[in-house]
Amino acid sequence: MKYYSTNKKAPIANLQEAVVKGLASDKGLFMPEKIKKLPQSFFDTIENLSFQEIAYTVADAFFGEDVEAATLKHIVYETLSFDTPAVKVKDNIYSLELFHGPTLAFKDVGARFMARLLGYFLKEGEEINVLVATSGDTGSAVANGFLGVKGIRVFVLYPKGKVSPIQECQFTTLGQNITALEVDGTFDDCQALVKSAFMDPELNAKHKLTSANSINVARFLPQAFYYFYAYAQMKRMEPGREVVMCVPSGNFGNITAGLFGKYMGLPIKRFIASNNSNDIFFKYLQTGEYNPKPSVATLANAMDVGDPSNFVRVLDLYNNDLDALRADVSGARYSDEEIANTVEQCYKETGYLLDPHGACGYQALKESLQPSEVGVFLETAHPAKFLATVETIIGEKVIIPEKLQTFMKGKKQSIELTKDFNGFKTYLMSI
Ligand SMILES: *Cc1c(COP(=O)(O)O)cnc(C)c1O
């Protein structure tokens, strides 16, 4: 498969180049040259297949030309070492629980897949260094996804004192091939250090450097897997109903993968992109004007994005046709107060505890579902990851899952750095 850049000014890349580079040289995002339709026979019997079987069929459509079948199957099966069940919350609303992976968030799927695919592309004895700046969630998913993968070293840069204790322990206690770099600065400082490292000739001469950014095709495309599996589960549990998928969205990678699925023939009737107060996409659907602006902090902080990077992929997929996009996707938007009310109401009414991101998804379905439809929202993280917020809202203690507790028992190891590039460079040169 060939990959072109959404800016159309970079050379066409093969899968290996697209995965190692992440971003095209013209700063555009890579898109596959064709998106294969899957045969009707697949959808006719999809409810009889396992998650891994479904995912492998989807993975084969994306990557089958470039990765031999047995290896690809192995990568898919290893990536999906956990389930993503659709759990009924009430009436015709289901939660697609994407938090059963190692770091209890959906980013585990993409990070685990990318780590394994990158490992596959390394030559025997070759070593690559992944630099990732994080404001919390990405670092843990990437660190855990790449943990123990041969030939790959991961450096997680995070702002000292600015990530939650639970998030911090998910990437500082791992050891092995993961190093946490605690930067005396902000998230933006961390990101600037990573960018400077990629542009530094001396560093690049010494080390092979790459990023594990969420715009990477190897992180982004595997997210389509669970949309197909969600449909299969609905076909089993709610036969004959039209399926609506609702996605709490920030950078729009997750929902874009779902839209790819629809393009491949997945019978999802429509999508809802649910935003918090960072409502750039919501407004775009209303007005046709895209006005990025600085993000504002909200309770659903992983969706605090003021200029969603995958927006260009959505436009590209729909050939800039706003009406076609509107036919498939509608928007929703919730303030912090509405998010808190939703978490509280849903918990009181059904006993199901939403996280602040999933709450945006649940509420949008509640407000828009028709009787002929069944709705599935993506529960993108476990509520215990946002412990203080959720406990304050419901006024009760939340049980922390064992997996999270295990992280919290580990010993924190980090290397302290200032936000000065020279210190970071000296450190990287010394390893
Ligand atoms: C990253 C993240 C999102 C947003 O996903 P995008 O693909 O950036 O739209 C939503 N919820 C949680 C918990 C996340 O970590």
Side-chain angles (χ1 to χ4, degrees), residues 15-27:
L15 178 63
Q16 178 167 5
E17 290 161 342
V19 171
V20 173
K21 279 189 183 153
L23 196 67
S25 54
D26 61 1
K27 306 261 188 295

Side-chain angles (χ1 to χ4, degrees), residues 144-310:
N144 283 273
F146 284 71
L147 183 65
V149 178
K150 216 174 134 242
I152 303 181
R153 286 190 296 196
V154 178
F155 298 90
V156 180
L157 289 86
Y158 73 101
K160 183 183 169 78
K162 295 191 177 64
V163 305
S164 78
I166 289 183
Q167 287 173 323
E168 186 176 23
C169 65
Q170 285 185 310
F171 51 77
T172 56
T173 60
L174 298 168
Q176 294 188 55
N177 57 332
I178 312 297
T179 305
L181 302 175
E182 189 171 3
V183 177
D184 195 3
T186 62
F187 168 66
D188 292 327
D189 294 324
C190 296
Q191 203 151 27
L193 287 176
V194 169
K195 280 191 183 151
S196 303
F198 287 131
M199 289 186 306
D200 188 89
E202 251 186 306
L203 266 180
N204 284 277
K206 181 161 164 91
H207 294 304
K208 208 174 169 108
L209 302 177
T210 188
S211 81
N213 202 292
S214 65
I215 52 167
N216 197 299
V217 290
R219 271 193 65 187
F220 147 72
L221 289 172
Q223 297 172 156
F225 299 163
Y226 42 72
Y227 288 90
F228 287 81
Y229 181 49
Y231 172 75
Q233 294 182 70
M234 285 307 106
K235 221 180 146 196
R236 225 169 8 222
M237 293 191 278
E238 299 280 347
R241 280 214 159 135
E242 298 168 311
V243 181
V244 177
M245 304 258 354
C246 183
V247 188
S249 295
N251 248 331
F252 279 71
N254 210 359
I255 194 168
T256 307
L259 297 174
F260 269 57
K262 185 168 169 66
Y263 192 94
M264 294 164 85
L266 181 66
I268 301 296
K269 186 186 177 196
R270 60 189 178 91
F271 285 80
I272 305 171
S274 197
N275 286 152
N276 58 26
S277 299
N278 297 280
D279 56 359
I280 318 298
F281 187 81
F282 176 82
K283 287 198 175 129
Y284 171 74
L285 285 179
Q286 281 186 331
T287 65
E289 276 170 49
Y290 183 74
N291 290 316
K293 44 178 196 233
S295 63
V296 295
T298 76
L299 293 179
N301 60 9
M303 289 154 55
D304 294 348
V305 180
D307 186 6
S309 30
N310 285 287

Side-chain angles (χ1 to χ4, degrees), residues 4 57 62 95 108-109 122 140 157 206 219 221 238 295 302 307 314 317 351 418 421 427:
Y4 64 88
T57 304
F62 290 134
S95 167
D108 282 330
V109 174
L122 287 183
S140 51
L157 289 86
K206 181 161 164 91
R219 271 193 65 187
L221 289 172
E238 299 280 347
S295 63
D307 186 6
V314 176
L317 187 67
T418 67
F421 178 63
Y427 168 72

